[in-house]
């Protein structure tokens, strides 16, 4: 696709997204008027642009230029200045006032607006106060234009340039020149490597302390993305040395300074020095403390009455609970915090339904939730009671486009209104979500966590369910009996075999678990097609 370069004047703005800078505009060139589209923020009618891009054909709007980069300059002709001022860019200047300004000051109009705003008051319809406000808006726009051009020198895309300027305003130049590593913390989408590239362009030394500290946080953040709340210090040091190519003393100093600044925490666990980002360390501490508190805030002494209720329920429904299930129900009715864990086919759903019915008979307000929408839907279908995602339960919102800046309306001051909260698929809950959930649990509310401890841990940081069980400080009931109907599924039986360290049983005819071996690419494609179209639908 051939690249083209065109110079012209912005005739009109057809569409502009103020958040991301995506713009559709008409560009008047010497020969023709062309439609241009792309990330071109903060342009206005009358400005001169030199754009780089390529031609494309839109199925609805026809031939247009996809802009990949651009440079802009202020209009210099009277006609261009009038068009620019008439564009609505500057509040207080419409087409009539724009014409009066240009008629009065001509090509010096911009200079007068920026440097001599009191002269604008000579124009009929403009007071001195209004002239000052117009000048302030114009100077802000001028500052934005300078910042955008400045950031282009560092190969920052227009989208990120807009985010940077919105964050720092007049401090953009100072931040980028002296500590661009701040951008990795403050601007969503800008990581250490992009900031490091900008720092190199700005001439910042490779052993600058800000660079080393940013690298340490970058490595710990990457570890969190891979599910780890912390790293052994030795591993962190090795990764930092490889990334920075600096002496270990620089990394050691950075770790010390970050801890003084309350950005990281060092902890010795089982003789191993470990390093956390502060947020994960305090989340772990808060989760442990809150679980212990909640586990001790409710205690039922009438266990005989609970046992009688279970017997009544069994008689009413005709469903006889296994001993493990009965133990789980007893604990659920008598504990502040309970964990029910078991693999597929061990009767977790039956157990939850029994608990739910007994709680409802007692008049308890019960809330059901799960980490994902699909899990919540399955929970609703299995219990007949509405379940929701944990995020929806906590009434989560995001601040702007930065997904890291998530807040929850439910918290200590606005807790969840429930007597009992049941969380399914708890293995999928990471440490930060668990922290947010427990903050919103009122004193006296009971918690029941249900999940398969042998499933893969959450995508986010932490192995919360397994650690809760491993702590041996909470009530745990393990469901291990596989019910007869579940034994008909080879998938379920093989899952349990694998968990016990046994080999799975392969290729049993008529089962829902089978192993298919193919040696050549064409055979693989043909087999996948057959599986999807013919074989697998039989088991859905």
């Amino acid at each position: 696709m051939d690249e083209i370069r065109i110079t012209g004047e912005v005739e009109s703005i057809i569409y502009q997204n103020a958040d991301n800078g995506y713009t559709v505009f008409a560009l008047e060139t010497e020969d023709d008027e062309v439609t241009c589209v792309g990330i071109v923020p903060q342009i206005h009618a009358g400005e001169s642009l030199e754009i780089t891009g390529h031609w494309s054909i839109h199925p609805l709007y026809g031939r247009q230029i996809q802009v990949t980069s651009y440079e802009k300059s202020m209009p210099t002709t009277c006609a261009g200045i009038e068009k620019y001022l008439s564009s609505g860019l500057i509040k207080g200047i419409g087409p009539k006032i724009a014409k009066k300004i240009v008629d009065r000051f001509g090509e010096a109009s911009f200079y007068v607006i920026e440097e001599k705003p009191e002269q604008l008051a000579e124009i009929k319809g403009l007071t001195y106060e209004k002239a000052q406000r117009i000048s302030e808006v114009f100077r802000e726009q001028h500052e934005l234009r300078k910042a955008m051009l400045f950031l282009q020198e560092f190969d920052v895309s227009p989208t990120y340039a807009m985010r940077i300027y919105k964050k720092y305003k007049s401090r953009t130049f100072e931040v980028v020149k002296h500590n661009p590593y701040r951008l990795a913390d403050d601007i969503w989408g800008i990581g250490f490597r992009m900031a490091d590239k900008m720092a190199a362009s700005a001439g910042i030394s490779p052993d600058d302390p800000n660079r080393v500290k940013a690298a340490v946080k970058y490595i710990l953040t990457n570890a969190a993305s891979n599910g780890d709340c912390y790293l052994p210090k030795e591993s962190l040091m090795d990764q930092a040395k490889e990334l920075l190519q600096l002496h270990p003393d620089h990394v050691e100093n950075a770790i010390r300074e970050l801890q003084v600044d309350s950005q990281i925490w060092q902890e010795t666990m089982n003789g191993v020095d470990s390093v956390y980002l502060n947020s994960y360390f305090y989340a772990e501490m808060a989760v442990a403390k809150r679980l212990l508190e909640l586990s001790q805030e409710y205690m039922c002494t009438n266990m005989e009455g609970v046992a009688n209720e279970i017997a009544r329920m069994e008689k009413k429904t005709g469903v006889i609970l296994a001993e493990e299930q009965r133990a789980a129900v007893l604990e659920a009715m008598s504990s502040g915090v309970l964990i029910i864990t078991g693999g597929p086919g061990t009767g977790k759903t039956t157990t939850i339904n029994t608990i739910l019915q007994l709680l409802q008979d007692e008049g308890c307000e019960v809330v059901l939730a799960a980490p994902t929408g699909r899990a919540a839907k399955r929970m609703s279908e299995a219990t007949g009671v509405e379940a929701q995602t944990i995020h929806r339960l906590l009434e989560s919102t995001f601040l702007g486009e930065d997904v890291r800046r998530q807040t929850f309306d439910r918290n200590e001051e606005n807790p969840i209104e429930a007597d009992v909260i049941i969380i399914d698929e708890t293995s999928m809950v990471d440490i930060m979500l668990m922290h947010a959930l427990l903050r919103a649990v009122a004193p006296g509310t009971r918690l029941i966590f249900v999940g398969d401890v042998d499933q893969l841990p959450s995508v986010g940081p932490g192995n919360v369910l397994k650690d809760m069980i491993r702590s041996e400080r909470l009530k745990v009931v393990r469901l291990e009996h596989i019910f007869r109907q579940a034994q008909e599924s080879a998938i379920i039986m093989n899952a349990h075999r694998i968990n016990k360290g046994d080999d799975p049983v392969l290729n049993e005819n008529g089962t829902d678990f089978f192993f298919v071996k193919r040696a050549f690419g064409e055979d693989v494609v043909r087999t996948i097609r057959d599986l999807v179209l013919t074989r697998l639908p039989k088991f859905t």
Side-chain angles (χ1 to χ4, degrees), residues 486-494 508-515 535-536 538-540:
Q487 294 176 10
E488 297 174 3
S489 168
I491 290 177
I492 291 176
M493 297 305 296
N494 278 328
E508 288 204 352
N509 293 331
T511 72
D512 55 0
F513 185 103
F514 41 87
F515 176 74
R535 298 180 66 181
L536 293 179
K538 297 178 182 178
F539 297 97
T540 58

Side-chain angles (χ1 to χ4, degrees), residues 290-315:
R290 190 74 184 114
L291 284 171
L292 287 175
E293 291 172 348
L294 291 168
S295 68
Q296 297 165 7
E297 285 176 353
Y298 180 87
M299 191 67 65
C300 175
T301 56
N302 185 17
M303 297 302 291
E304 184 178 347
V306 174
N308 291 335
E309 284 298 307
I310 293 173
R312 180 186 63 79
M313 183 67 63
E314 288 178 322
K315 185 175 181 180

Side-chain angles (χ1 to χ4, degrees), residues 111-177:
Y111 170 77
V112 171
I113 293 172
E114 187 169 9
E115 303 293 339
K116 304 287 185 180
E118 65 276 3
Q119 294 185 17
L120 292 177
E122 299 172 7
I123 296 174
K124 187 178 181 180
L126 285 180
T127 64
Y128 178 81
E129 291 75 14
K130 192 172 183 179
Q132 291 295 330
R133 287 198 299 271
I134 288 172
S135 181
E136 288 173 8
V137 172
F138 184 83
R139 280 196 293 270
E140 287 179 4
Q141 293 294 331
H142 184 54
E143 188 177 80
L144 172 58
R145 288 193 297 275
K146 288 193 297 184
M148 298 293 285
L149 290 172
F150 168 73
L151 291 168
Q152 283 182 15
E153 296 175 10
F154 296 92
D155 293 326
V156 178
S157 72
T159 300
Y160 286 123
M162 280 291 293
R163 292 180 187 175
I164 293 169
Y165 183 78
K166 283 182 178 180
K167 175 67 179 178
Y168 301 118
K169 300 293 183 181
S170 61
R171 295 184 297 117
T172 297
F173 304 91
E174 177 190 352
V175 170
V176 173
K177 284 181 178 179

